[in-house]
Amino acid sequence: MLCLTLTGSTLEEDRALVVKNRKWISLAELRLDYLNPEEQEEAAVFPNMVDIPVILTLRRVSDGGRCTLGEKQRLQLLYNTAKGDFAYVDIEEDIKKCDLKFKESGTEIKVDLESSLRMRNIKIIRSYHDFEKVPADIYGHISKLAAKGDIPKIAVTPKSMIDVISLFRVQQELQGIKDKIIIGMGDFGIPTRILYKKCGSMLTFCTDSSEKVPAPGQLSAQTMSELYRSDKLDDRTHIYGIIGNPVYHTSSPLIHNPGFLAIHYNAVYVPFLVDSVRAFFKLAEMLQIHGFSVTVPHKRDVQPYLGRITREVKQIGACNTVTRIQNMWKGTNTDYYGFLAPIAEEVSKGTIHSALVIGAGGASRAVIWALHNHGVKVTVINRSLDHAKSIASETMSSYDSLENCSRYSGKVDLVVQTTSVGMTPNDTEDPVPALRFLGNELVYELIYHPRETVFLKRAIAAGCTVVQGRDMLMEQGKLQFEAFTGYHYPHWIHPEL
């Protein structure tokens, strides 16, 4: 189930959010602490305003919420609102037996909040939040939460791939607890939200695309349902992904997931923020991941874990695609052919004799080798002259300092920009402002966000033919898709990268 967290300030706003997201969600969480005070008094009617089950939550500031009431007042408001037709009420783990006092006909009576909810068959979600870490005793913590027969919910903050493994192990360690909610918050936790069923979680939370994110790492309902199809994944779903650090800027899920759907292939492609390649390979075995893309800074680090590598990986020294074959991992490099594809005609005609490659990082290696292997004379320029010299010596190329870029104005047939300078959010920067374009160069940039950088706009204004980074991204993605599935990428799919 995908549960939409409602953060409107009025009940009508929340109802509108449900209507807007209805086709993607199975239930909603009414965040009472986001409502205006006068709206809170009327919130008991909300379940009758929508056509899906509703979770009632009144979250304290210390647990990531907005409620600043005293504890007795908060629980009193929760009790009063819970008189509505709610399917679940969320109560924090540290709330013990709570007797609330009322006066009816002049007589003071006591009511226990939890007992009153159970008497009305409202299911209690017993929640625990940790915005700093994943507790060492997480499995015992979940068991303790479930001891009363309530639904345990943990929302914790993984800070490493090892922590992520701990969350995915919940299903294996606590199979006896059928209904539970497992949430990994923050960037490391995003895969646990997408693959929530692999954690043994009965649901995961999502937000409206236009609303403020109420919890770190929450994705929109539309993204969760349409791009990742999280609510439709099952035990037979093949898992693929991309690893990197950073990684969430990637557009690769926009290529692969629509491709899987188009060929009716039961698979999902998930981004993983990875701090330790070794730990990720452990997770890959646990989840039986079938293949993954590799981006900065792990293109070299994955190689010791591979049973086979292709000629391009050996030559370039970088791997961007890993697939599982015959109980081992195979490494390939689709950047090499993906880079060449948009300029294949010029290369085959022999019209590119010389090239200036800006940058000497991991992305440039495939570019330089691809050009070198097709007889193009390459000069590498880089801010660090030592790095430029190192990669030039490996590839039998020339090298120079970035500050000397003006020397090459109008002197080469092809200019390739491989650095991240000019990428969103730093899209006002230009890696080589002193390099002038005469209009007869072919200019190629690997950045794909934004579509046209300052660098590329200068080339277009000068009359140059340009190749955008999205072209290479799409071409190398198609090759990865074939490596993953054994099928050609569906020609009728045109992702909005």
Side-chain angles (χ1 to χ4, degrees):
M1 297 187 290
L2 296 183
C3 179
L4 181 68
T5 299
L6 302 174
T7 56
S9 58
T10 69
L11 295 174
E12 179 53 35
E13 285 178 20
D14 284 337
R15 187 198 66 80
L17 288 174
V18 171
V19 172
K20 177 183 175 184
N21 293 275
R22 182 63 186 89
K23 64 181 177 180
W24 304 308
I25 60 175
S26 300
L27 68 163
E29 178 191 33
L30 180 65
R31 286 293 297 267
L32 202 56
D33 47 308
Y34 275 77
L35 289 172
N36 295 332
E38 61 273 16
E39 295 286 323
Q40 291 177 344
E41 298 299 324
E42 305 295 328
V45 304
F46 186 75
N48 298 323
M49 298 171 63
V50 295
D51 63 345
I52 52 176
V54 181
I55 300 172
L56 176 62
T57 301
L58 180 56
R59 191 71 71 216
R60 301 173 296 201
V61 173
S62 59
D63 291 309
R66 293 186 173 187
C67 183
T68 57
L69 295 173
E71 192 62 357
K72 284 288 186 182
Q73 288 178 291
R74 184 179 77 96
L75 295 175
Q76 184 78 59
L77 177 58
L78 192 63
Y79 172 83
N80 290 338
T81 308
K83 292 177 181 177
D85 192 19
F86 291 92
Y88 306 86
V89 172
D90 187 308
I91 301 177
E92 294 79 10
E93 58 129 13
D94 59 342
I95 302 300
K96 308 301 181 186
K97 179 178 172 61
C98 179
D99 288 329
L100 301 173
K101 296 179 181 180
F102 298 91
K103 278 191 176 180
E104 288 187 4
S105 304
T107 304
E108 185 174 89
I109 60 172
K110 290 183 178 180
V111 177
D112 173 39
L113 175 61
E114 296 176 35
S115 298
S116 68
L117 294 174
R118 292 191 179 99
M119 285 177 60
R120 290 186 287 127
N121 294 320
I122 296 176
K123 295 180 181 178
I124 295 175
I125 296 173
R126 185 72 62 172
S127 63
Y128 168 81
H129 294 79
D130 192 325
F131 292 90
E132 300 295 327
K133 63 185 183 304
V134 174
D137 61 339
I138 185 170
Y139 309 125
H141 219 108
I142 296 170
S143 297
K144 184 179 178 182
L145 292 176
K148 289 186 176 181
D150 301 333
I151 298 170
K153 171 193 170 186
I154 60 154
V156 294
T157 310
K159 293 296 183 68
S160 68
M161 186 52 54
I162 294 295
D163 287 342
V164 174
I165 289 174
S166 295
L167 293 180
F168 278 112
R169 281 185 57 201
V170 169
Q171 173 72 327
Q172 174 187 333
E173 296 289 332
L174 301 173
Q175 293 183 28
I177 303 176
K178 182 182 177 183
D179 291 333
K180 51 189 176 288
I181 302 171
I182 312 298
I183 304 292
M185 296 186 290
D187 287 345
F188 275 103
I190 286 177
T192 70
R193 293 182 181 273
I194 297 171
L195 302 172
Y196 68 95
K197 294 179 183 179
K198 290 291 184 180
C199 296
S201 187
M202 61 183 278
L203 60 84
T204 196
F205 295 89
C206 50
T207 185
D208 179 74
S209 57
S210 63
E211 291 294 296
K212 292 181 179 179
V213 176
Q218 267 194 23
L219 303 179
S220 74
Q222 183 175 6
T223 296
M224 289 287 282
S225 183
E226 289 193 352
L227 179 60
Y228 294 111
R229 304 180 74 246
S230 298
D231 50 330
K232 302 171 186 68
L233 307 182
D234 56 37
D235 292 338
R236 298 181 299 278
T237 300
H238 288 195
I239 300 174
Y240 297 89
I242 179 168
I243 68 170
N245 191 355
V247 74
Y248 295 118
H249 64 282
T250 181
S251 292
S252 293
L254 298 173
I255 297 174
H256 294 283
N257 286 317
F260 294 153
L261 182 61
I263 66 170
H264 305 288
Y265 185 57
N266 186 2
V268 63
Y269 183 96
V270 180
F272 292 89
L273 179 63
V274 170
D275 61 329
S276 165
V277 167
R278 180 181 181 182
F280 176 77
F281 273 96
K282 290 183 178 179
L283 179 65
E285 293 296 336
M286 179 190 302
L287 297 180
Q288 287 296 290
I289 291 175
H290 283 69
F292 55 93
S293 311
V294 186
T295 189
V296 177
H298 300 314
K299 292 187 178 185
R300 285 177 176 265
D301 298 340
V302 297
Q303 293 182 54
Y305 302 91
L306 306 178
R308 288 176 57 186
I309 58 175
T310 60
R311 176 179 61 87
E312 290 78 22
V313 173
K314 289 180 182 178
Q315 188 179 57
I316 298 167
C319 167
N320 83 320
T321 309
V322 177
T323 52
R324 187 190 293 272
I325 58 164
Q326 298 172 344
N327 296 319
M328 70 171 67
W329 296 106
K330 177 185 177 182
T332 60
N333 192 306
T334 65
D335 285 339
Y336 181 98
Y337 296 105
F339 166 74
L340 287 173
I343 57 172
E345 185 176 347
E346 290 83 356
V347 170
S348 63
K349 287 180 178 178
T351 57
I352 301 176
H353 302 285
S354 59
L356 180 69
V357 175
I358 303 164
S364 67
R365 302 183 68 85
V367 169
I368 298 168
W369 273 115
L371 293 172
H372 171 79
N373 289 347
H374 285 80
V376 178
K377 183 180 179 181
V378 177
T379 300
V380 185
I381 61 171
N382 191 60
R383 191 176 305 280
S384 166
L385 195 59
D386 286 342
H387 288 167
K389 181 179 180 180
S390 174
I391 197 169
S393 64
E394 292 176 26
T395 57
M396 293 159 280
S397 304
S398 302
Y399 68 95
D400 204 343
S401 172
L402 194 67
E403 63 187 25
N404 295 328
C405 64
S406 61
R407 297 177 180 176
Y408 301 92
S409 299
K411 300 290 180 61
V412 294
D413 304 314
L414 171 68
V415 178
V416 187
Q417 205 294 90
T418 72
T419 77
S420 61
V421 178
M423 182 187 295
T424 302
N426 303 312
D427 49 14
T428 59
E429 299 179 1
D430 188 330
V432 283
L435 178 68
R436 292 183 298 108
F437 299 113
L438 302 188
N440 55 354
E441 307 94 335
L442 175 59
V443 179
Y444 195 144
E445 184 168 48
L446 271 55
I447 290 174
Y448 54 88
H449 283 309
R451 185 183 293 271
E452 291 182 3
T453 61
V454 172
F455 169 82
L456 217 54
K457 286 177 180 177
R458 284 201 300 114
I460 294 170
C464 298
T465 300
V466 301
V467 179
Q468 298 176 337
R470 297 175 189 223
D471 297 330
M472 175 178 170
L473 177 69
M474 192 67 212
E475 292 299 330
Q476 67 84 28
K478 288 178 179 178
L479 294 171
Q480 288 185 331
F481 187 87
E482 291 179 21
F484 292 156
T485 67
Y487 294 94
H488 291 302
Y489 193 82
H491 61 83
W492 60 92
I493 301 297
H494 305 285
E496 288 291 328
L497 302 179

